[in-house]
Each structure stands twice: as C-alpha cells, then as structure tokens.
C-alpha cells in the first residue's frame, strides 16, 4: 500500500499529462491545437453556450492564444475529425481506424436509435454524391417543394445514421452547423483504414488514457465500453505492459488499483508555482467524475440536466483548480449582447487555503475568460461563504 505521498505524486503527474501545470504545454497557435487533440486523444463537443462551448473552452485552458477558428480549420485540413468517443468528439485523424468497429456496429444494427428509413438514406447519399456537400438545412429547403414525399426530420435522422455508420463525414463546421460529405471525399488517402482487432482496439484505449492522464484505472479505460471481451483484452494489454516494465501497478488504500507509466514515476517532480484554472464541465481532466472524487476528493456534477429545485450549485458551474486542489466552482453566464460576464454564484469550498494566495490570479483569469467570451465587463452577483464577498468585490474593482 502507498499513502499520501503517492497520491500527491499521482495528482501532479496527471495534471502535468493533461497540460494543466504550464502556461503553454503544447506550444502556441494552430499547431498547438493539433498537438493537444492528439495528446488528449479526444475533445468532447457540447452544444451548450452559457459560456464558450466546451471544446473551445478546453483548448483555451491549455492554449492561451487559442482562437476558435483554429479547430474549424483543422477539420477542413483533414487533421482532426468528428465522431463518437464516449460522446460526440473531435479525434485525431491518425486514429481514424479505431472508430471503424463502432461504425461497423452501427451499420449492422437494426435497432439503433437512429433508425433511419433506407429510402431516405439512399436519397441523402445520392444527393450528396451528385450535388456535393450538404447541411441539414439544405434538405429542409427540399422538403418545401410541392410533391415531396419525405419531411425534414427523416432526412436529419438519415444524415446522423449515415454519419455514425461511416458513409458520411463532417467536412466543415460553422458554429454548431455541420456540413456532410461522402467519407471517400473527406478521408485522406494516407490514413490506415484497416479494421483493428479486438486486442488492437484495447491497446489503443489503454495507451490513449495512459498518454493523456499519466495514470489510469481499468474502469476509466472501459468507460461506457460494455461486454466482457473488452475487459478481458484490456486486462491482457495491461498484463503485457506490466511484464515489459513499461507501466507499474500502484495500490493506494480505499482507491482502485492504478496503472502508471514507470518512467513518469521515476522522473523528478519539477513543480512550479501553483497555477489556477477555470475548467469546462466537459474538460478531459474532470469528465470522469469517479476518478476526480477518488483522487482529488472533489465531488463534481454538472447540474444543467438536474431539475431546478434539486440543484445544489446552479445551472452551469465551472470547477476551479488551484495547483492540485479543486478549491470550488463558479456558476457563470456570458451575456453577450450586453458584453457582460456574470459570476452568478462563486462557491469557495476549500477555505483551508488562504484566499490571498489565489484570489488575484483567479480574478485575472476570469477577466481573460470574459474576453474570450467576447465580454468586456465583469459582474459578481453572489459568493459563498458570504464572508468573502467584500474581499472579492474589493479585488474585482
């Protein structure tokens, strides 16, 4: 068994692996965006825009000079693509072959939730093949023609089904508006399209999580991957890596067994001054809620999907990370028309850390985030505990 020293070391290693300990961990500009996506393995897409959308927020957290156009450009340059990881995500184009098993599974499924009409699917494919890339709204216009026998909704379902089974890819994106094209027109010729074996797929998952997080658990690797076969293959890959001494197994009391790259454990910890981060609820570092609770003692849940009367921290709280400690969360909203960024409710949960250590860098971070959200002014509405309100307002002004 290993104790608090190992736990502290693991926290630092995973934050460093996630790119959350240095100002420019992956460099600057558009090249840094590609490096970030390739290192993290995926980037979750979310439609909520209370503040800047999750995929852009997650990149801005690691790339201070990030511009939202960079991601769209990488899609058009065929360096990243959209598909499903544990949710809708951007993935490195080099990893395309590892989504093939899921595409095949969708194609062979007759009970998939995108249960599209085969005739409509054929119509959509034929139209794109003949006329070129299409948005969903292009088909909406078609349905308004006299004599049309289909409606817009079936074409949207057909587009999504064809996308999920790999016949179509998203070739361009404007905000949340997607443009679909034939996969053969989008996928670079150099990309490996060999279907991975079950063992290769398990190895891809294991190495993706180890590279992105520094350490991982079996539960994290198999997150939302059902079936005994994937679990057996993950165990097989981990056993092989343990035998090769590339990873090490660590047991910490009251926590699941951890697998960590051996060379990371052997490196000296070069800890710099504690940085502060305002994370997206869908940031890769916090998306695995059990892991965050077990190793960082932070119980986080996004409450926008929770009935209003049952919410504890309001609609869209962003976790606040100071060094290797989650010190609280803040419910925010970008009022873009008014150019005002509102801190609706700042919850300070770790009061053992002196507020003087983090309040100034936190408010500077919030100002930068407000600018990223195209807002010019800050508004502070509520603070808990209330005793910190005057101090924060004083610093804010």
């Amino acid at each position: 068994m290993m104790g608090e020293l190992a736990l502290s070391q693991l926290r630092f290693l995973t934050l460093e692996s996630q790119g959350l300990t240095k100002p420019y961990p992956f460099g600057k500009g558009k090249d840094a965006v590609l490096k970030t996506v390739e290192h993290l393995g995926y980037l979750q897409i979310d439609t909520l825009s209370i503040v800047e959308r999750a995929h852009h927020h997650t990149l801005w957290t690691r790339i201070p000079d990030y511009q939202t156009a960079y991601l769209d450009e990488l899609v058009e340059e065929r360096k990243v693509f959209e598909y499903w990881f544990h949710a809708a995500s951007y993935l490195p184009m080099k990893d395309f072959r590892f989504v093939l098993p899921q595409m095949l599974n969708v194609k062979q499924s007759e009970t998939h939730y995108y249960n599209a009409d085969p005739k409509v699917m054929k119509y959509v494919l034929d139209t794109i093949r003949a006329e070129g890339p299409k948005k969903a709204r292009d088909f909406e216009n078609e349905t308004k023609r006299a004599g049309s026998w289909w409606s817009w909704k079936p074409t949207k379902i057909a587009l999504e089904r064809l996308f999920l089974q790999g016949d179509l890819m998203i070739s361009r994106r404007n905000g949340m508006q997607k443009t679909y094209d034939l996969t053969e027109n989008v996928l670079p010729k150099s990309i490996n399209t060999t279907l991975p074996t079950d063992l290769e797929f398990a190895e891809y998952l294991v190495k993706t999580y180890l590279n992105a997080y520094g350490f991982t658990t079996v539960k994290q690797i198999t997150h939302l991957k059902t079936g005994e076969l994937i679990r057996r293959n993950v165990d097989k890959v981990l056993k092989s890596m343990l035998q090769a001494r590339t990873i090490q197994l660590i047991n910490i009391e009251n926590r699941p067994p951890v697998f960590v790259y051996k060379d990371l454990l052997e490196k000296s910890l070069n800890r710099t001054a504690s940085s502060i981060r305002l994370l997206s609820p869908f940031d890769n570092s916090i998306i695995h809620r059990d892991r965050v609770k077990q190793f960082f003692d932070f119980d986080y849940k996004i409450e926008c999907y929770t009935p209003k009367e049952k919410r504890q921290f309001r609609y869209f709280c962003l976790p606040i990370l100071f060094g290797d400690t989650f010190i609280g969360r803040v419910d925010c909203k970008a009022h873009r028309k008014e150019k005002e960024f509102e801190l609706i409710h700042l919850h300070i949960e770790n009061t053992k850390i002196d507020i003087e250590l983090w309040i100034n860098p936190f408010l500077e971070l919030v100002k930068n985030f407000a600018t990223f959200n195209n807002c010019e002014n800050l508004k502070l509405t509520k603070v808990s505990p209330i005793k910190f309100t005057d101090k924060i307002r004083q610093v804010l002004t």
Side-chain angles (χ1 to χ4, degrees):
M1 295 289 181
M2 301 182 73
E4 288 304 312
L5 179 61
L7 187 58
S8 174
Q9 185 179 19
L10 288 175
R11 283 177 176 170
F12 178 78
L13 287 178
T14 199
L15 293 174
E16 186 175 56
S17 295
Q18 277 285 299
L20 295 174
T21 61
K22 300 173 184 175
Y24 288 90
F26 302 106
K28 297 182 179 182
K30 188 165 64 176
D31 287 344
V33 177
L34 180 59
K35 287 178 183 175
T36 303
V37 177
E38 289 183 341
H39 180 79
L40 297 180
Y42 74 95
L43 191 69
Q44 184 166 332
I45 301 169
D46 194 74
T47 59
L48 294 171
S49 59
I50 309 303
V51 297
E52 185 57 80
R53 289 187 173 95
H55 39 290
H56 295 308
H57 184 174
T58 298
L59 288 168
W60 177 83
T61 299
R62 294 160 176 81
I63 309 167
D65 68 342
Y66 174 72
Q67 297 176 29
T68 57
Y70 291 156
L71 197 52
D72 296 332
E73 289 170 12
L74 288 172
V75 171
E76 293 186 40
E77 293 167 10
R78 313 305 191 233
K79 292 178 180 176
V80 300
F81 72 102
E82 292 187 36
Y83 196 64
W84 200 263
F85 196 66
H86 68 269
S89 302
Y90 288 101
L91 296 141
M93 189 64 80
K94 67 182 183 64
D95 290 343
F96 179 81
R97 68 185 293 243
F98 296 105
V99 305
L100 291 173
Q102 187 161 331
M103 288 178 172
L104 185 62
N105 183 55
V106 174
K107 183 168 282 193
Q108 293 175 343
S109 172
E110 295 181 0
T111 58
H112 195 271
Y113 57 89
Y114 283 113
N115 192 17
D117 185 327
K119 290 181 180 179
V120 180
M121 289 171 65
K122 183 179 186 305
Y123 165 75
V124 167
L125 272 179
D126 289 347
T127 301
I128 292 175
R129 186 173 286 112
E131 301 178 12
K134 295 285 185 184
K135 304 178 184 69
R137 71 179 186 185
D138 295 330
F139 292 99
E140 179 188 18
N141 295 333
E142 289 290 313
T143 65
K144 295 176 181 176
R145 292 182 182 179
S148 295
W149 54 269
W150 67 89
S151 66
W152 185 32
K153 187 175 180 181
T155 58
K156 286 206 298 183
I157 294 172
L159 279 168
E160 286 302 311
R161 174 74 185 235
L162 290 164
F163 164 70
L164 287 171
Q165 68 182 37
D167 294 302
L168 296 178
M169 290 181 72
I170 294 167
S171 61
R172 183 174 300 172
R173 194 185 255 277
N174 181 11
M176 296 308 291
Q177 190 175 98
K178 300 175 283 190
T179 298
Y180 298 85
D181 198 358
L182 301 176
T183 294
E184 63 203 58
N185 295 336
V186 178
L187 196 63
K189 298 291 188 286
S190 59
I191 295 299
N192 184 353
T193 56
T194 307
L195 186 70
T197 65
D198 293 332
L199 193 60
E200 283 178 321
F201 182 70
E203 184 178 23
Y204 157 72
L205 289 178
V206 170
K207 291 185 175 179
T208 294
Y209 281 111
L210 281 170
N211 288 334
Y213 292 92
F215 78 85
T216 190
T217 64
V218 171
K219 184 174 182 180
Q220 184 179 11
I221 297 167
T222 57
H223 180 61
L224 298 181
K225 305 288 190 295
T226 57
E228 185 59 32
L229 178 61
I230 185 68
R231 175 64 183 259
R232 285 203 310 269
N233 282 321
V234 164
D235 286 342
K236 195 178 294 184
V237 171
L238 289 170
K239 184 178 180 181
S240 174
M241 294 179 76
L242 284 168
Q243 290 174 342
R245 295 181 176 273
T246 55
I247 62 173
Q248 185 172 327
L249 175 64
I250 294 179
N251 289 298
I252 300 176
E253 192 173 2
N254 298 322
R255 290 172 177 86
V258 162
F259 298 90
V260 58
Y261 273 129
K262 199 167 184 292
D263 61 341
L264 290 182
L265 283 175
E266 293 170 350
K267 69 185 284 191
S268 59
L269 297 184
N270 184 24
R271 301 193 189 199
T272 55
S274 294
S275 59
I276 193 155
R277 309 281 177 163
L278 189 63
L279 300 176
S280 165
F282 302 100
D283 192 285
N284 297 54
S285 64
I286 200 164
I287 198 67
H288 298 276
R289 312 302 192 207
D290 288 349
R291 186 180 194 272
V292 173
K293 187 175 181 179
Q294 290 163 347
F295 294 97
F296 288 87
D297 195 27
F298 185 62
D299 192 359
Y300 180 75
K301 176 184 177 183
I302 185 169
E303 296 184 333
C304 56
Y305 308 115
T306 302
K308 187 174 182 179
E309 64 276 7
K310 294 184 178 180
R311 290 176 193 154
Q312 183 180 359
F313 296 105
R314 295 184 61 94
Y315 187 79
F316 202 72
C317 269
L318 311 182
I320 305 168
L321 177 68
F322 179 59
D324 67 352
T325 302
F326 287 95
I327 58 173
R329 64 199 91 195
V330 56
D331 189 37
C332 300
K333 183 174 176 62
H335 302 280
R336 295 178 180 88
K337 287 184 179 179
E338 297 81 8
K339 297 284 186 180
E340 183 176 77
F341 192 85
E342 183 181 6
L343 306 181
I344 300 170
H345 195 162
L346 171 60
H347 304 264
I348 302 170
E349 297 167 62
N350 189 319
T351 55
K352 293 179 181 178
I353 298 177
D354 187 351
I355 191 172
E356 297 289 346
L357 294 174
W358 61 264
I359 190 57
N360 283 302
F362 170 70
L363 291 176
E364 185 64 30
L365 173 67
V366 169
K367 290 175 185 177
N368 291 337
F369 190 55
T371 301
F372 182 60
N373 280 268
N374 296 313
C375 294
E376 298 172 356
N377 304 308
L378 277 181
K379 176 184 178 183
L380 177 65
T381 303
K382 186 176 181 181
V383 178
S384 293
I386 197 170
K387 66 179 180 179
F388 293 112
T389 304
D390 289 344
K391 171 65 180 176
I392 295 172
R393 286 194 189 281
Q394 179 185 348
V395 176
L396 193 59
T397 54

